Amino acid sequence: MKDSLKQAIILQAVEESVTYTDSKLGGRPYCKLGDDFPVHSSGIPYMFIAQLNFAKLPKLEDYPQQGLLQFFVLADEEYGVDKDGYYCRYYSDFDPSHDIEPFSDEEMEYELCEPIIFGGPYALKATLLQELVPYTDPRSVHYDLPIENPAYSKYFDETDGSGTKIGGYAFMDKNSFDEKNSNAELLFQLDMEGNAKKTYAMIADSGTLQFFIERDSLIAKDFTQLYYYLYSL
């Protein structure tokens, strides 16, 4: 079972100050001079989800060691899942900002859907961990997992793939995997974020957003073709 261990960067959203080039949920994405907020061909607006500053994150093999990676999804009824309605922008180099981005509790309003990020921006605190393969992952058949032994209930509690993260294993049931994401790498997963008093992020009915990428594309830092999913219980 230990052979299934994969490293993951676990991310936790917190209400702390960020600059325009820090890792964050919500707020305003960094744009180079001449770049604009992306617009979908349908005319429906995108919503900005997250920005990852890899120079300030723990290091994962094959993942970027520097640069900014930004995630946008279409602001329609299904958050663009059925239309490949996502946009991923990567800046391999940029001028770091030292200006603190103002925080707001005000939620963005969209005509066709509820927001995913409520207020912001929220800083992302990162921890490097190892994850065992969840029993719901198709790759679990290659490992000797404690499926029948109730003494291993701790395994099931700790290996469901949940949480906001980079890398590791995704939070999905067996029926949500297909020929694309079964063998691809988890680039980014956004789960519900917040504390006992406030919700920072929530997708549909307590769902998760996942972005998968082929390993060759990940190594080449080519983020133009991802596999985008919304999983909800």
Side-chain angles (χ1 to χ4, degrees):
M1 189 166 63
K2 290 183 178 180
D3 292 340
S4 73
L5 284 169
K6 294 185 71 172
Q7 286 194 320
I9 301 173
I10 307 302
L11 301 170
Q12 180 185 10
V14 295
E15 291 190 61
E16 293 184 7
S17 298
V18 296
T19 71
Y20 289 98
T21 53
D22 282 337
S23 297
K24 59 186 178 180
L25 292 184
R28 293 174 56 189
Y30 167 85
C31 290
K32 281 191 173 181
L33 187 64
D35 287 348
D36 296 316
F37 199 95
V39 177
H40 192 263
S41 58
S42 67
I44 299 173
Y46 281 109
M47 63 173 74
F48 172 58
I49 300 297
Q51 175 173 281
L52 306 175
N53 184 336
F54 281 95
K56 295 185 176 182
L57 292 170
K59 306 308 178 190
L60 281 182
E61 184 178 0
D62 295 334
Y63 286 73
Q65 306 299 298
Q66 61 183 19
L68 285 183
L69 191 60
Q70 300 170 340
F71 296 89
F72 305 78
V73 299
L74 198 60
D76 69 0
E77 296 89 339
E78 301 295 333
Y79 298 108
V81 171
D82 295 330
K83 306 180 183 69
D84 284 333
Y86 72 88
Y87 183 80
C88 186
R89 180 162 61 190
Y90 180 59
Y91 290 118
S92 59
D93 61 88
F94 59 94
D95 294 324
S97 172
H98 301 288
D99 296 328
I100 299 298
E101 183 175 352
F103 180 88
S104 174
D105 281 316
E106 185 176 349
E107 299 174 8
M108 292 289 293
E109 294 185 0
Y110 300 96
E111 181 179 353
L112 301 176
C113 64
E114 294 296 319
I116 289 176
I117 311 298
F118 303 98
Y122 300 99
L124 287 171
K125 296 297 184 183
T127 305
L128 185 64
L129 296 178
Q130 288 186 314
E131 296 184 331
L132 291 168
V133 62
Y135 69 96
T136 54
D137 192 292
R139 289 164 288 192
S140 65
V141 299
H142 302 300
Y143 302 99
D144 184 19
L145 302 182
I147 300 299
E148 302 297 336
N149 191 336
Y152 285 92
S153 60
K154 184 178 180 180
Y155 162 77
F156 295 101
D157 292 340
E158 296 183 354
T159 59
D160 63 357
S162 62
T164 300
K165 67 176 83 172
I166 303 165
Y169 293 101
F171 177 57
M172 285 183 164
D173 61 31
K174 289 180 181 289
N175 296 327
S176 299
F177 286 94
D178 55 33
E179 69 278 1
K180 295 179 180 179
N181 62 6
S182 292
N183 297 305
E185 299 298 322
L186 181 61
L187 179 60
F188 177 63
Q189 175 172 279
L190 176 63
D191 205 339
M192 184 174 178
E193 289 288 331
N195 57 33
K197 297 181 179 180
K198 182 179 178 181
T199 299
Y200 304 154
M202 186 168 67
I203 306 98
D205 186 15
S206 301
T208 53
L209 292 181
Q210 289 107 352
F211 299 86
F212 295 86
I213 187 171
E214 296 289 349
R215 176 171 287 275
D216 289 346
S217 297
L218 177 62
I219 293 172
K221 310 301 179 284
D222 179 3
F223 302 102
T224 57
Q225 182 59 55
L226 307 181
Y227 306 134
Y228 167 49
Y229 295 78
L230 189 160
Y231 173 67
S232 183
L233 294 173

